[in-house]
């Protein structure tokens, strides 16, 4: 560890919603910063105006907020700003100029059409074209054109790009905290565009310049950026910033639940789970992508499952709070190979956090569902219902499925159950039960059960002949918890009304 204060950044491009892999990158940066009392910075990398998607930045911020990943510096807040690259445009030009002056970069004037043509020609010969050591000397750039011609083109406003001049036959070795020493040969690297004539840098230049100016100590990002590391290292070297160059850590991929490849944004819809933290509605395609938040996941569960995708605590422990993770997280325990995402495990995590919540909290979460359904219920009854069905649920959304019958009279009665359990003498028996119930003073599950059992024993009625039809009247089918608990929660009046109404309606059903 360096003696500098740890400063890490999460640097998404606002090109769409944040994939859960992106949230994991943010999380690992956050945890690393917390662990070392460092700073966690949000930087918006919006240099590619063509890929800019309105609403994406707000989406990213909202997602981080939902996850509890508070950044200490970011758009509108912090002394290393601005934190949006599009607002830092003026800063990059001088570095691009410096690279040109030092001979490490050059102007290139080839149009996209010309390059496409060359690409196609190469393909015909079974080759892959790349703008670099082997080809740059035959192309339209300041290495091949005269100075007068270059100046003329620049002065006449011709469009250009600035490319980094990859040194020949050089080995670039860099340590990656997760992968160890990695060596790249420049002979396989192309001359990347670092600046464009619209005055905007590309990702590579902006990223390096900003990491330097923002005094970033560790670059923790996805594996897809590993191949950019040698270029970035060379940029640090060329710009004379090698001493303060950040350390790199490239996180492993998150893999699809089954089959090959990384988890993609389409997998969620195909396989029935969210891939995004919160819902995203694409205004161009009108597509809607589900979110963990809207699917009823708790942020604690989402964070917990993400933490274990690629990081190994070294113990059997599986449940971790954000605070706990902040203490024990270490990049050394991040694995190199991809981690398979298991949607069932995600549900299992949620179930755990659901069970941890007390009934009052769950009631608050459930109320909006009830309001939407037009149901009004006393707080007292709601708490009783939740306490009763909680154990069967893993999500707030499961609560309705397991409790709807408490809140309104059955609107229909299950035909199968009627066929099986409703006999000639059922109504008569239920009327007798109704009478019996009327006289129970202490309306509690235990008391109801005892009175009911004594009565049936005296009458010598088999329990099933009454229990099943009674349940049918109360909840409409063969569902719900213990029958006497249902009676207790419904209250005496409602229980009696439902028995009466059930008998009337079921008797009218002809099967
Ligand atoms: N803007 C890049 C992205 O969207 C950031 C990569 C990095 O962290 O260097 O992933």
């Amino acid at each position: 560890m360096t003696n500098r204060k740890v400063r890490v950044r999460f640097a998404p491009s606002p090109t769409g919603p944040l994939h859960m892999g992106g949230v994991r990158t943010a999380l690992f940066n956050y945890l690393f910063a917390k662990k070392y009392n460092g700073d966690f910075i949000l930087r918006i990398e919006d240099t590619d105006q063509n890929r800019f998607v309105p609403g994406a930045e707000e989406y990213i911020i909202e997602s981080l907020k939902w996850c509890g990943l508070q950044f200490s510096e970011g758009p509108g807040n912090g002394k290393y700003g601005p934190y949006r690259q599009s607002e830092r445009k003026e800063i990059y030009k001088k570095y691009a100029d410096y690279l040109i002056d030092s001979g490490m970069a050059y102007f290139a004037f080839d149009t996209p059409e010309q390059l496409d043509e060359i690409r196609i020609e190469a393909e015909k010969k079974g080759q892959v074209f790349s703008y670099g050591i082997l080809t740059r000397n035959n192309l339209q750039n300041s290495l091949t054109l005269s100075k007068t011609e270059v100046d003329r083109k620049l002065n006449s406003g011709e469009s250009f790009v600035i490319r980094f001049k990859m040194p020949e036959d050089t080995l670039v070795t860099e340590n990656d905290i997760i992968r160890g020493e990695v060596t790249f040969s420049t002979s396989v690297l192309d001359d990347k565009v670092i600046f464009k004539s619209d005055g905007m840098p590309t990702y590579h230049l902006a990223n390096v310049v900003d990491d330097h100016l923002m005094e970033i100590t560790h670059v923790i990002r996805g594996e897809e950026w590993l191949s950019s590391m040698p270029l970035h290292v060379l940029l640090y070297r060329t710009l004379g910033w090698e001493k303060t160059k950040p350390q790199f850590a490239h996180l492993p991929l998150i893999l699809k639940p089954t089959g090959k490849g990384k988890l993609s944004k389409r997998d969620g819809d195909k396989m029935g789970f969210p891939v995004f933290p919160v819902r995203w509605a694409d205004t161009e395609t009108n597509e809607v992508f589900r979110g963990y938040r809207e699917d009823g996941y708790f942020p604690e569960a989402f964070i917990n499952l993400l933490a274990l995708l690629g990081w190994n605590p070294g113990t059997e422990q599986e449940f971790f709070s954000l605070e706990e993770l902040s203490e024990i997280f270490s990049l050394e325990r991040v694995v190199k190979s991809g981690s398979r995402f298991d949607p069932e495990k995600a549900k299992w995590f949620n179930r755990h956090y659901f069970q941890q919540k007390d009934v009052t909290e769950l009631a608050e979460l459930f109320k909006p569902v009830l309001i939407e359904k037009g149901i009004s219920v006393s707080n007292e009854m709601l708490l009783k219902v939740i306490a009763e069905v909680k154990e069967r649920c893993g999500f707030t959304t499961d609560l309705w499925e397991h409790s709807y019958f408490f809140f309104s009279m059955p609107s229909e009665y299950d035909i199968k159950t009627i066929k099986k359990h409703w006999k000639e003498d059922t109504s008569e028996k239920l009327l007798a039960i109704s009478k019996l119930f009327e006289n129970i003073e202490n309306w509690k599950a235990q008391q109801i059960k005892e009175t009911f059992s004594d009565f049936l024993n005296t009458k010598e009625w088999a329990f099933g002949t009454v229990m099943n039809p009674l349940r049918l009247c109360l909840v409409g089918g063969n569902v719900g918890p213990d029958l006497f608990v249902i009676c207790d929660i419904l209250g005496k009046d409602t229980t009696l009304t439902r028995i009466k109404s059930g008998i009337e309606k079921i008797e009218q059903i002809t099967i």
Side-chain angles (χ1 to χ4, degrees):
M1 184 69 44
T2 58
N3 332 329
R4 291 197 288 163
K5 181 178 191 193
V6 165
R7 286 177 55 81
V8 293
R9 82 306 192 267
F10 175 51
S13 300
T15 53
L18 193 58
H19 183 280
M20 58 192 278
V23 185
R24 192 208 41 188
T25 302
L27 171 65
F28 285 10
N29 273 285
Y30 172 91
L31 296 176
F32 189 76
K34 282 277 155 203
K35 173 150 181 183
Y36 294 105
N37 288 321
D39 299 324
F40 170 55
I41 294 140
L42 173 67
R43 185 173 71 222
I44 302 295
E45 300 210 324
D46 56 351
T47 53
D48 190 348
Q49 296 292 306
N50 299 326
R51 295 184 60 217
F52 177 80
V53 171
E57 180 184 322
E58 292 76 5
Y59 177 94
I60 291 164
I61 293 176
E62 192 186 337
S63 300
L64 294 180
K65 194 167 164 209
W66 180 66
C67 294
L69 305 180
Q70 205 179 354
F71 45 89
S72 38
E73 288 166 38
N77 160 40
K79 48 181 203 297
Y80 292 76
Y83 294 88
R84 262 181 221 109
Q85 289 184 329
S86 58
E87 292 168 15
R88 301 170 64 78
K89 201 172 160 181
E90 310 313 320
I91 299 176
Y92 309 109
K93 170 121 195 344
K94 69 169 189 248
Y95 298 105
D97 288 344
Y98 173 80
L99 289 169
I100 293 263
D101 294 344
S102 62
M104 286 305 289
Y106 59 91
F107 292 105
F109 301 96
D110 321 81
T111 64
E113 295 74 31
Q114 285 167 341
L115 292 177
D116 277 346
E117 224 168 87
I118 299 170
R119 213 164 273 130
I120 293 167
E121 280 307 309
E123 270 169 29
K124 280 188 194 154
K125 293 185 214 146
Q127 295 164 349
V128 180
F129 168 73
S130 102
Y131 206 122
I133 300 162
L134 298 177
T135 54
R136 62 166 85 109
N137 289 335
N138 303 318
L139 294 157
Q140 301 284 313
N141 53 51
S142 54
L143 303 173
T144 58
L145 301 170
S146 68
K147 176 149 186 347
T148 335
E149 182 60 4
V150 170
D151 287 345
R152 192 195 60 74
K153 280 179 182 288
L154 292 177
N155 292 334
S156 67
E158 215 170 279
S159 114
F160 67 88
V161 294
I162 297 179
R163 288 181 180 271
F164 184 74
K165 191 174 164 205
M166 206 31 93
E168 266 171 65
D169 288 335
T170 309
L171 291 181
V172 181
T173 299
E174 183 63 27
N175 188 58
D176 180 288
I177 301 174
I178 297 164
R179 285 146 216 278
E181 219 165 69
V182 193
T183 300
F184 293 85
S185 162
T186 56
S187 58
V188 296
L189 301 175
D190 59 345
D191 290 353
K192 284 269 182 287
V193 174
I194 54 171
F195 199 85
K196 290 177 293 181
S197 51
D198 64 0
M200 274 289 195
T202 62
Y203 157 72
H204 300 292
L205 181 65
N207 188 270
V208 166
V209 167
D210 286 348
D211 282 347
H212 172 73
L213 296 179
M214 294 182 179
E215 296 182 29
I216 299 301
T217 55
H218 297 78
V219 167
I220 304 167
R221 61 185 173 193
E223 184 180 294
E224 64 273 29
W225 301 106
L226 182 62
S227 57
S228 299
M229 185 166 72
L231 170 60
H232 295 186
V233 169
L234 289 171
L235 282 168
Y236 282 106
R237 247 182 234 171
T238 317
L239 291 164
W241 298 335
E242 193 145 34
K243 269 209 183 113
T244 52
K245 174 173 51 94
Q247 296 183 51
F248 293 93
H250 289 92
L251 306 175
L253 294 176
I254 299 181
L255 305 173
K256 292 180 194 299
T258 52
K260 278 196 196 140
K262 69 173 186 180
L263 184 66
S264 80
K265 71 173 187 181
R266 304 263 161 224
D267 289 335
D269 280 343
K270 269 192 251 153
M271 301 186 216
F273 58 83
V275 167
F276 298 106
V278 307
R279 183 178 173 276
W280 169 261
D282 195 308
T283 45
E284 271 193 12
T285 60
N286 287 329
E287 272 178 298
V288 174
F289 293 94
R290 59 208 277 190
Y292 278 86
R293 183 178 67 184
E294 291 71 18
D295 270 23
Y297 281 85
F298 297 113
E300 305 93 290
F302 184 52
I303 286 298
N304 198 152
L305 74 93
L306 283 182
L308 293 173
L309 282 174
W311 171 75
N312 170 0
T315 62
E316 294 294 302
Q317 188 178 342
E318 292 201 89
F319 299 115
F320 297 94
S321 68
L322 194 57
E323 291 68 40
E324 216 174 333
L325 288 168
S326 307
E327 278 166 28
I328 58 175
F329 178 79
S330 82
L331 283 173
E332 283 73 20
R333 287 206 156 276
V334 173
V335 298
K336 286 198 221 25
S337 51
S339 313
R340 204 172 273 295
F341 171 63
D342 177 356
E344 288 311 313
K345 188 100 194 229
K347 288 186 196 155
W348 179 80
F349 273 117
N350 208 65
R351 189 184 154 76
H352 170 81
Y353 288 98
F354 183 93
Q355 294 303 326
Q356 301 271 297
K357 304 228 179 265
D358 65 27
V359 282
T360 335
E361 203 178 334
L362 291 176
E364 287 314 310
L365 294 169
F366 193 30
K367 275 180 190 166
V369 178
L370 296 174
I371 290 171
E372 204 192 305
K373 296 190 185 287
I375 282 159
S376 78
V377 51
S378 72
N379 217 35
E380 194 196 345
M381 175 161 171
L382 184 57
L383 296 181
K384 279 192 197 164
V385 169
I386 294 179
E388 189 50 42
V389 303
K390 179 181 167 184
E391 217 200 303
R392 301 170 180 225
C393 305
F395 290 82
T396 310
T397 41
D398 293 344
L399 284 168
W400 175 253
E401 183 192 327
H402 291 288
S403 69
Y404 65 91
F405 41 80
F406 282 109
F407 308 114
S408 55
M409 178 101 90
S411 55
E412 44 190 44
Y413 298 88
D414 180 50
I415 298 293
K416 247 189 174 167
T417 319
I418 298 176
K419 267 192 191 163
K420 197 162 168 204
H421 297 291
W422 201 273
K423 308 283 178 220
E424 279 284 296
D425 61 349
T426 302
S427 298
E428 207 179 302
K429 284 182 173 170
L430 288 182
L431 284 172
I433 296 296
S434 194
K435 280 238 160 56
L436 177 80
F437 281 2
E438 262 174 52
N439 294 320
I440 299 179
E441 298 262 304
N442 180 22
W443 191 258
K444 287 274 170 284
Q446 188 56 27
Q447 182 63 55
I448 307 168
K449 186 177 177 180
E450 275 166 27
T451 314
F452 179 88
S453 307
D454 290 348
F455 184 74
L456 259 67
N457 285 333
T458 327
K459 289 276 188 190
E460 294 186 352
W461 291 347
F463 274 61
T465 62
V466 188
M467 298 274 274
N468 291 306
L470 183 54
R471 182 179 288 277
L472 193 56
C473 290
L474 296 181
V475 297
N478 194 13
V479 291
D482 181 272
L483 190 57
F484 304 104
V485 170
I486 296 179
C487 293
D488 182 338
I489 295 178
L490 287 177
K492 189 156 139 185
D493 289 350
T494 308
T495 303
L496 295 177
T497 319
R498 288 198 188 184
I499 298 176
K500 186 166 173 273
S501 162
I503 296 174
E504 280 166 14
K505 290 187 182 143
I506 295 168
E507 280 297 334
Q508 280 171 22
I509 299 175
T510 43
I511 26 176

